[in-house]
Amino acid sequence: MNNLIDPVVQNYLFYDFHRKSFLAKVILAVLVAAALIFSLLYGWSAFFDDLHPLEVWLWIPYAIIGSLVAYFILSFLDRERRVRFFHLVTILSVPLILQPIASYLNDHSPAKFWTVGFYEEGLKILPVVLLAIYVPNLIRTRKDGIVYGALAGMGFNILEMGLYLARVLHEYSMIETWYQQSTRLGLFGFGGHIIWSAFVGMGVGFAAESTAHGWQKWKRAVYFYLIAAVMHSLYDLGISSLGMVAIVMIESFFTGIPAEEAMQSLDTGSGPIYDGMRYGVYLYTIVLIIIMIVQIRRSFAWENTMQAYELSSEEESVITKAELNKLKRERLFFKRKYTDVPKEVGAKMVLYQNLLAMQKHTAAQLGNSLDSVGPVVTLRGAIQALRSR
């Protein structure tokens, strides 16, 4: 794994995992193995149904390309502790293992459209929950939870988009199918699946921030899951049409296209009806979106304040006064840069300093002596080594 993750970052991330009990690791292995086996034996056949797998996989590159802008935005928001290896693990674990299980459960549900949100949102968020429990240094804030929840939703949306493109192609023309199903990408790749799972991920992030235990720690994650699951199910039951119709009416008002004509534009391959299909989900989830934007800003502001506090007691060999001042002036969309060292070295120093601050904060929360926390010593040494180059 050293070739995939910086060894210093790996030491930081897996510090708590190595301290987990043998039983806890066995439980994780059993969960992953059970999900993988169930997916292979039952899930994939339910997912593809009467389609040939190649028909679906042929569309996956298009769905991936359509999601790239969303991924880079999420990656930027995760820049405090960005580890692309775990981005990939989160995105892939959903479509390759958990999404087929959701398809099987949906097919065997006595009330499919009522339960779809509960199955899909629960399975989408499972990798994020497991990461928060077993690799807690990866997800430390509500912002982290939002990012990883969104990545899980992205993985689900990519495979689902490939499935529906392949399925609908048997019913409509190529151009009409392409326009219709491309609406699943939403704006820049942020579709409904990403919004719902990001909202549940925020609850996981709140749990990661909390020092409580049991229900008190996880209750917001459960509440947010129930909210997202109900909204998802209602959306599939037909409420999606409300946002779509609202967009169509607004567009027809500003363009002068009669509403009746706008609603009948399905055969054209473009027009107000497609805009409604693409953007209606944002009207439906606008409250969730606003809440997450506010929490991302608050989370970054808190983390910036925490970093400045924790690093202010460090020696100049770890962070200089000039660097500390840059940290204090850092803003959500402007990452600090050290121009007196090579770009790559400066970026690593920023990353290691951020990780050091979070590790010190976590140790203080848990009442642990810094001398007993291995990553603190490792990170300090790594920063000093970079500075002496």
Side-chain angles (χ1 to χ4, degrees):
M1 192 177 290
N2 286 356
N3 294 329
L4 299 173
I5 304 177
D6 181 324
V8 176
V9 177
Q10 183 177 323
N11 174 269
Y12 164 81
L13 287 175
F14 288 98
Y15 170 67
D16 289 301
F17 179 79
H18 291 315
R19 298 168 70 214
K20 295 286 183 184
S21 68
F22 176 75
L23 177 60
K25 294 174 182 177
V26 169
I27 291 172
L28 175 63
V30 169
L31 281 174
V32 173
L36 183 59
I37 292 170
F38 191 94
S39 182
L40 290 172
L41 292 180
Y42 304 104
W44 280 111
S45 59
F47 180 81
F48 290 118
D49 195 16
D50 57 343
L51 290 172
H52 191 284
L54 185 60
E55 294 180 86
V56 177
W57 292 117
L58 282 174
W59 286 104
I60 297 302
Y62 171 70
I64 291 173
I65 292 170
S67 302
L68 285 179
V69 173
Y71 172 74
F72 288 126
I73 292 173
L74 293 170
S75 182
F76 175 80
L77 291 175
D78 192 40
R79 69 188 188 277
E80 300 298 316
R81 285 176 302 286
R82 179 172 55 215
V83 184
R84 295 197 190 277
F85 171 77
F86 281 106
H87 289 183
L88 193 62
V89 168
T90 305
I91 292 172
L92 291 180
S93 64
V94 174
L96 294 183
I97 302 176
L98 300 169
Q99 193 165 354
I101 298 176
S103 293
Y104 178 88
L105 295 175
N106 285 334
D107 286 351
H108 290 78
S109 171
K112 178 177 179 177
F113 290 107
W114 289 99
T115 59
V116 61
F118 293 89
Y119 290 145
E120 293 186 359
E121 296 310 321
L123 286 164
K124 277 193 295 179
I125 206 62
L126 183 58
V128 184
V129 172
L130 291 177
L131 286 173
I133 293 172
Y134 284 92
V135 194
N137 273 339
L138 184 70
I139 299 176
R140 280 296 181 194
T141 68
R142 67 201 74 172
K143 175 168 62 67
D144 297 337
I146 290 171
V147 167
Y148 275 88
L151 291 172
M154 180 180 293
F156 194 100
N157 192 56
I158 286 171
L159 185 57
E160 184 175 82
M161 188 172 173
L163 174 70
Y164 279 94
L165 277 163
R167 180 174 293 168
V168 178
L169 193 60
H170 293 282
E171 303 174 23
Y172 300 98
S173 67
M174 171 68 81
I175 190 67
E176 189 175 356
T177 297
W178 183 79
Y179 268 104
Q180 184 187 99
Q181 298 305 314
S182 292
T183 61
R184 293 178 179 275
L185 291 170
L187 185 64
F188 303 128
F190 287 104
H193 278 296
I194 292 179
I195 296 169
W196 288 313
S197 56
F199 185 72
V200 185
M202 182 174 67
V204 177
F206 273 116
E209 291 180 8
S210 174
T211 56
H213 298 280
W215 171 247
Q216 292 302 315
K217 182 180 182 70
W218 292 96
K219 63 181 181 181
R220 275 181 288 194
V222 174
Y223 293 149
F224 293 174
Y225 159 69
L226 293 174
I227 291 169
V230 170
M231 289 186 69
H232 185 162
S233 290
L234 291 175
Y235 188 80
D236 282 20
L237 280 164
I239 287 184
S240 58
S241 61
L242 296 179
M244 181 181 72
V245 170
I247 295 291
V248 170
M249 298 299 288
I250 292 170
E251 189 166 330
S252 66
F253 175 80
F254 284 104
T255 61
I257 300 174
E260 295 79 5
E261 182 181 333
M263 292 297 292
Q264 296 173 359
S265 59
L266 273 173
D267 295 333
T268 66
S270 62
I273 190 70
Y274 285 99
D275 291 335
M277 293 167 67
R278 184 184 300 276
Y279 305 122
V281 67
Y282 302 117
L283 288 182
Y284 181 63
T285 59
I286 188 64
V287 174
L288 306 189
I289 293 170
I290 291 172
I291 290 172
M292 286 190 287
I293 291 173
V294 170
Q295 293 302 328
I296 286 172
R297 292 178 62 85
R298 287 181 179 177
S299 183
F300 176 83
W302 170 84
E303 194 159 350
N304 182 253
T305 301
M306 178 275 295
Q307 289 168 349
Y309 172 78
E310 295 292 352
L311 294 175
S312 62
S313 59
E314 292 294 320
E315 297 178 357
E316 288 260 328
S317 60
V318 174
I319 185 166
T320 66
K321 289 182 179 179
E323 290 167 356
L324 188 61
N325 287 331
K326 284 189 175 185
L327 168 60
K328 292 177 180 178
R329 294 195 300 270
E330 195 174 47
R331 294 295 178 264
L332 178 58
F333 295 105
F334 298 94
K335 180 180 178 180
R336 68 188 186 275
K337 296 179 180 179
Y338 301 151
T339 55
D340 56 336
V341 294
K343 184 178 179 181
E344 183 180 347
V345 173
K348 274 195 174 184
M349 287 175 63
V350 168
L351 173 62
Y352 293 168
Q353 288 167 350
N354 290 344
L355 299 184
L356 174 61
M358 182 57 76
Q359 187 67 82
K360 289 180 67 177
H361 170 75
T362 302
Q365 276 188 314
L366 299 175
N368 295 332
S369 169
L370 292 182
D371 293 335
S372 66
V373 181
V376 170
V377 176
T378 302
L379 286 163
R380 283 173 176 161
I383 295 168
Q384 291 164 346
L386 287 172
R387 201 179 296 283
S388 62
R389 282 187 180 181

